[in-house]
Amino acid sequence: MLSDVTTPQDLDDRFRETLAALAAPRQRRDPARPVTDDTTLTGARALDLFDAQATSRQLDLAGRWLRSFGEGFYTIGSAGHEGNAAVAAALRATDPALLHYRSGAFYCVRAAQAAQPGPADGPEGADLPAGADLPAGADLPAGADQRGTGGGPVGTGWHDAAGEPTDATRPGALTTPHDADGDPDEAAQVGPIRPGDGYPPDDPEAPGPVADRPFSPAYAEAARDVLRGMAASTREPIAGGRHKVFGRADLAVIPTTSTIASHLPRAVGMGLAVERLRRLDTAGRRDGVRVGSGGEAAQAPWPPDAIVVCSFGDASVNHASATAAFNTAGWYDHTGLRIPVLFVCEDNGLGISVRSPKGWVETTLRSKPGVRYFSADGSDLPRAYEAAAEAAAWVRRHRRPAVLHLSTVRLMGHAGADAETAYRSPGEIAADLARDPLAATARLLVEAGLATGEELLARYDEIGWQVRRIAEEVLDEPKLTAPADVVAPLAPRRPVRVARAVADAAARAGGPGAGARAETFGGKPPELTGPLTLAQSINAALADGMLDHPQMAVFGEDVGAKGGVYGVTKGLRDRFGVARVFDTLLDETSILGLGLGSGLAGMLPVPEIQYLAYLHNAEDQLRGEAATMQFFSQGAFRNPMVVRVAGLAYQEGFGGHFHNDNSVAVLRDVPGLVIAVPARPDDAAPMLRTCLASAAVDGSVCVFLEPIALYHTRDLYTEGDGEWLAPYAEPGAWTGGHVPIGRARVYGVGSAEDVTIITFGNGVPMSLRAAATLADEGIGTRVVDLRWLAPLPVADVIREAAATGRVLVVDETRRSGGVGEGVIAALVDAGYVGAARRVAGVDSFVPLGPAARQVLVSEEAITEGARTLLAR
């Protein structure tokens, strides 16, 4: 016996030894009967699941083989976790799934479920319902190859005795047993004998059902998907060569790239949205499809009784994002709000090399309030199936969260480069091998009289041959070769359609929706109330957005009853109800997770982060989850969202770095993210309408950063002048006042010919006051309000800089990593040859009280900076 199981060859050899040692069954069992007397899992279904598990195992071997000669780029496999095939079998093909990266068997089963022409064996109709619709906008990418395969010759031969690929296993050298003429050895092929032909019932000599089972086209299709991901093929159906993920729109499998449970908060948000949409009346729907601004069809919901499933590893149970997700699910359950989510913790006892303390995971999962606990041994297929079916049925019936704790093992290490012997003893490795779920399923089938060990080994080899053949085929498929191709699905921008959506919203507000709008505003719409502050303008624009987008919801800390700590959401809950404007628990990860999940389910979420400093607790939900969804699904899935954030500095009387945070670098570094910073009331409303329309039309993820210090500002130059108030535009003026993403606003002071000040946020009123001072000195100034920090309005910046040849960048963020760096870089890249200077905040946190003035930009500094620039 081998003492170390560290290579694919070792694992393959052990599996063969196990099957060779299995005694022939005493009698054959009808595959329509349960595989054992204490389960509902039939023999036929168990045989199907063995095929899924074997396909997953062979994919792991294929991944190592591809990597051995530089054609594979991902070797984290599913070996030891194949018990999750039972979890998939217990669910429906229309239950949205966010899968852990060891979910090969689950994915194969889901592909087979979705391929079913009608209902098949499974708990409470667990398979794809006849006529199930594909989510709108969730079609497979153009060119995705969905070919299936039939039967073929047996044999694998991935490695030589040393565990290394042999010459015969290089591309183009298929290794099936052959006769002397070079033809496939007929004796080694799966025979065409039909089960029972010429044999009496229950004759132990009769061939089992496995002898007449062609390799499932659905499993072949799933294998092709996975292999394309490993090889970074552009024909991979979800990420298109951008990453190896488990995902496909028509399988309701949402791609996740996380290894540390950052997708769990999204799953909770999806559960919340699925249940909300289930209860929602027909408002905003046309023929079963919700229609957004400008007639854009939103993603159709999953079936009303769908549940959300998300899987993760035992080490991830300790991560803050997992804790947040469990806590949020339990918190809402405690309040009576239903969230149908099934968490699946696949516990192999290891996080790469770090062991989970014995009993810790079970203790942790059992202690989650409001989350029902189920458990099973993932190596015991019938028990895992029964536990998963019970858990899924409980969640589906009660619409409440539960966790299935599935014990597993890890075979072949964490990934291809992992040397397990550095941290595990031979005894530990051997103990895991003894619980190999694939071998356990084989023993089950033999003991149940459904197959012999020889038949199952032939089946294993048949599947291996087919996987190997597909692996060689995908090697010749194209890969991404141009930057434009890589970033194409990242953040699509269709400005004309966004502008049209705003125009359509205006037409509805001024036409058929005028009555409802007047009623919502109590008979006095905001355009008739006189000039508004920034906060009042945002409030009115949110109300108009809620009227135009039936699926829009506003939520966050204190946004409901209190109306926000600055009153920005005041009155919205009374107007639109607690289902659309609601308070959340105080956890930014969970708030963004709710937004991510509800957006994916077809809503238009507008979460609020109370202060910019609080966003840093949860920024990966934007970076790793929100911004990557369209990128890694080629637009098949999206999470439209407008995140309102109160931020920036200069807030008087309520200081300190938590309430005066001027750090936006982490946001500007996120590819595809839209960052809007309205400074004026008459910019705030149209910019918010643009963000809502862009989210609805393009699936954009927008951050609407609201300067706290300007919320209630009324004056600009002197007390009582009211120059920072502005009227709210009536719907007929929305189209003409539309603010496209990435367009600046320019003010001319004096001759406007001497210097250009480029700024944003609080810098706008300060720069205008500085420009007025300079005008008294005969200096003409252009003040450019960027309005958008991402994407920067580069064309406007270059044009206005060239107009004077002198640029002063006023950046209220920090000198290092601040917005000013991006502006200067844009000028340099464009070949600007004039003079340039920066006035920026000090690289410091903002202190309390008057000390803040020492590190922030002042009007005096702006004025002196302009004078210095002119003196050059």
Side-chain angles (χ1 to χ4, degrees), residues 33 85 93 117 278 616 770:
R33 292 167 51 193
R278 188 175 78 91
H616 305 311

Side-chain angles (χ1 to χ4, degrees), residues 202 256 433 793:
D202 295 332
T256 67
L433 184 64

Side-chain angles (χ1 to χ4, degrees), residues 563-586:
V565 293
Y566 295 100
V568 181
T569 57
K570 185 177 181 179
L572 293 181
R573 191 182 73 164
D574 295 337
R575 294 172 182 170
F576 298 101
V578 296
R580 299 187 66 193
V581 181
F582 57 91
D583 292 321
T584 64
L585 70 176
L586 275 64

